[in-house]
């Protein structure tokens, strides 16, 4: 499933726009005020933490993947255990980050071979 589909199905429309605006800022070289490093995955991975109405939304993205910005996971935070990201989400982010790095390496090798 594409992240865009996940965001459009699960996020409130207003939250979709705000997250999209923040990701566009990253695309143009900026750093959103509500973005911070996502711990436990490695350098170059950041989390946008957004409150919209009474809900909390998160988008985790990697910026050091060649020339691309890769959204690794986007989710509505419903944790009842405080601010900690649920382990199942952390595991998914780690897996997607590994896959994205491998894809970036393959693409880089393909570009050098031309």
């Amino acid at each position: 499933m594409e992240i865009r589909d996940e965001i459009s199905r699960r996020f409130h429309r207003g939250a979709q726009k705000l997250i999209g605006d923040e990701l566009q800022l990253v695309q143009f070289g900026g750093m959103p005020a509500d973005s911070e490093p996502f711990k436990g995955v490695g350098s170059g991975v950041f989390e946008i933490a957004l409150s919209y109405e009474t809900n909390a939304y998160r988008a985790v993205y990697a910026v050091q993947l060649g020339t691309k910005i890769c959204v690794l996971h986007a989710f509505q935070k419903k944790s009842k255990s405080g601010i900690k990201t649920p382990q199942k989400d952390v595991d998914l982010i780690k897996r997607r980050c590994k896959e994205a790095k491998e894809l970036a390496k393959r693409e880089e090798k393909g570009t050098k071979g031309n």
Side-chain angles (χ1 to χ4, degrees):
M1 173 189 320
E2 289 187 26
I3 294 293
R4 180 176 33 188
D5 294 338
E6 189 173 328
I7 291 172
S8 64
R9 282 190 308 142
R10 298 182 184 184
F11 280 31
H12 184 282
R13 195 157 197 60
Q16 288 178 38
K17 172 144 180 29
L18 292 172
I19 291 279
D21 290 348
E22 298 286 16
L23 291 170
Q24 185 175 29
L25 178 61
V26 172
Q27 184 179 8
F28 290 115
M31 180 62 85
D34 56 0
S35 182
E36 60 183 43
F38 187 79
K39 296 177 176 75
V41 179
S43 65
V45 179
F46 295 87
E47 175 181 40
I48 295 171
L50 170 72
S51 292
Y52 186 81
E53 294 181 351
T54 59
N55 298 306
Y57 298 92
R58 303 289 185 263
V60 179
Y61 63 95
V63 293
Q64 297 179 348
L65 298 173
T67 59
K68 297 181 180 180
I69 297 165
C70 182
V71 177
L72 302 171
H73 189 35
F75 57 101
Q76 182 177 350
K77 191 150 183 312
K78 295 182 179 185
S79 175
K80 293 172 177 48
S81 61
I83 62 172
K84 188 174 179 182
T85 302
Q87 189 60 45
K88 70 178 182 90
D89 290 307
V90 173
D91 293 342
L92 178 62
I93 292 163
K94 286 180 179 181
R95 188 182 84 239
R96 287 181 175 170
C97 186
K98 181 181 176 187
E99 292 169 358
K101 287 178 180 180
E102 290 170 0
L103 179 60
K105 282 182 185 178
R106 285 196 305 268
E107 288 178 352
E108 186 177 323
K109 286 180 183 178
T111 303
K112 288 181 181 178
N114 291 335

